[in-house]
Amino acid sequence: MKASRLRPTVSRTMPPAPAPLFSRTPPAIFPVLFGLLGLGLAWRRAAEALGVPAAVGELVLGAVTLLWTFAALAYLAKVARRPGVLLDELRILPGRAGVAAITQGAMLVAAALVPHAPGLAGVVLGGAVACHALIAVLSAWAIATGPAEQRHVTPAWHLTFVGFILAPIAALPLGLVALAQLCTVFAAIMAGIVYAVSIAQLARQSPPAPLRPLLAIHLAPLALFGMTAAGFGKPMIAFAFGILATLVLAALLARIRFLTEAGFSPFWGAFTFPLAGFASLLLTLATLPVPGAPLFGTIGALALIGATVVIPPIAAKVLQMWATGILAARTNAAQA
């Protein structure tokens, strides 16, 4: 009998086509980049308050600005491919917080550019504020038209609706006083609303463990309002915010096990930018005519060291998750 001449069956099923480059860039990378930019600005302030070499802050800011620019271009490529992906992103908490952090990061990039290229800094700041306003409007629409559970106020609302408070950091040195005033007033109103509702919610129930790191965001507006007050030449108001921020940080540190009970997640990015902002505020107070200025300098130096120890490892882990594709999956990032 002749050997069978049957040929082995070859599957004609083609493997799925690879996703286009950057088509699922997760917005969750931007809170940690926001924190790294804040850390660079804190080191810049340390040059004035503590006498550390100015090159330290500038090197950090230069490196992180390049990293932020790469990430921002990657996300813009995703939006350019399918503009509707932005609305998809704003319908979920990680996406909404991440997208808001993009434009807030741009405001800090503008602040980083002020001493070196004030003209470019003004352009970046204007674009960042305009884009953040658009994101705030779209986010409000997404929240209002989405499921009822999405209307629950979270600390991440500070990023979207109070984020304008970052603008004065660059606007005041550039002489854009009216813009700084407008952003400060709007941010103050929104911060009052978010704080009031959040306190009422916390009095009724604690957030689920995975969302508890977001509570750290409540520290950020206090630090930023303090720095803004200092920029407007109101040292005693800055001092009051410094006291409030210190009390809030102490409360957060006392409950650190409660905040981190769920283990590491991309939401740990919420620890980064508040720590950087707190360090910057205390180092700013150390240079002002306020009670206990030298003590603020000492605590600010400790806060800066702590922020330098905490922020880069969190950022590195989140960026590693981005590189391996895990971050997009865990944060349910939309695909273009």
Side-chain angles (χ1 to χ4, degrees):
M1 182 181 291
K2 293 184 180 180
S4 172
R5 298 189 178 217
L6 292 176
R7 295 181 181 178
T9 303
V10 178
S11 173
R12 296 184 180 275
T13 304
M14 299 296 291
L21 187 63
F22 303 133
S23 65
R24 208 181 180 192
T25 303
I29 58 177
F30 289 99
V32 295
L33 295 177
F34 179 25
L36 288 171
L37 286 165
L39 181 63
L41 290 173
W43 275 104
R44 175 184 281 178
R45 290 183 183 274
E48 180 182 358
L50 305 176
V52 303
V56 176
E58 301 309 314
L59 285 172
V60 174
L61 285 171
V64 179
T65 296
L66 290 174
L67 182 58
W68 179 89
T69 301
F70 172 76
L73 290 174
Y75 192 76
L76 285 174
K78 172 179 172 176
V79 175
R81 182 174 182 83
R82 183 171 72 85
V85 77
L86 183 60
L87 289 176
D88 294 340
E89 223 84 84
L90 295 176
R91 291 191 177 99
I92 59 174
L93 175 58
R96 192 160 56 245
V99 170
I102 299 175
T103 45
Q104 288 184 300
M107 295 180 205
L108 293 190
V109 168
L113 290 171
V114 167
H116 309 289
L120 178 59
V123 172
V124 172
L125 178 63
V129 172
C131 289
H132 195 79
L134 175 62
I135 288 168
V137 171
L138 293 176
S139 296
W141 178 85
I143 291 168
T145 59
E149 58 269 18
Q150 291 286 347
R151 295 172 207 149
H152 185 81
V153 175
T154 73
W157 283 36
H158 283 303
L159 292 170
T160 304
F161 303 111
V162 187
F164 296 95
I165 192 57
L166 283 156
I169 296 176
L172 289 173
L174 291 172
L176 304 174
V177 178
L179 176 62
Q181 290 173 334
L182 178 63
C183 289
T184 301
V185 170
F186 181 82
I189 294 170
M190 297 308 299
I193 294 171
V194 174
Y195 277 127
V197 176
S198 296
I199 291 171
Q201 289 179 169
L202 283 173
R204 292 195 300 268
Q205 62 180 0
S206 295
L211 297 182
R212 288 174 194 167
L214 297 179
L215 292 173
I217 297 176
H218 285 309
L219 174 63
L222 298 176
L224 293 167
F225 279 115
M227 285 189 284
T228 298
F232 278 117
K234 307 291 183 182
M236 292 312 297
I237 296 177
F239 172 78
F241 276 110
I243 298 298
L244 284 174
T246 302
L247 293 174
V248 169
L249 179 61
L252 292 170
L253 291 175
R255 302 297 304 276
I256 192 65
R257 292 184 65 181
F258 171 80
L259 296 176
T260 60
E261 183 180 346
F264 183 84
S265 77
F267 282 134
W268 278 37
F271 293 132
T272 62
F273 51 89
L275 283 175
F278 178 77
S280 282
L281 173 59
L282 264 60
L283 293 171
T284 299
L285 290 172
T287 65
L288 298 178
V290 297
L295 180 60
F296 280 120
T298 301
I299 301 174
L302 294 174
L304 179 59
I305 293 170
T308 304
V309 170
V310 170
I311 295 173
I314 293 176
K317 196 160 185 178
V318 172
L319 292 173
Q320 183 182 34
M321 293 172 70
W322 175 30
T324 57
I326 296 173
L327 187 62
R330 288 195 181 176
T331 58
N332 199 24
Q335 183 165 339

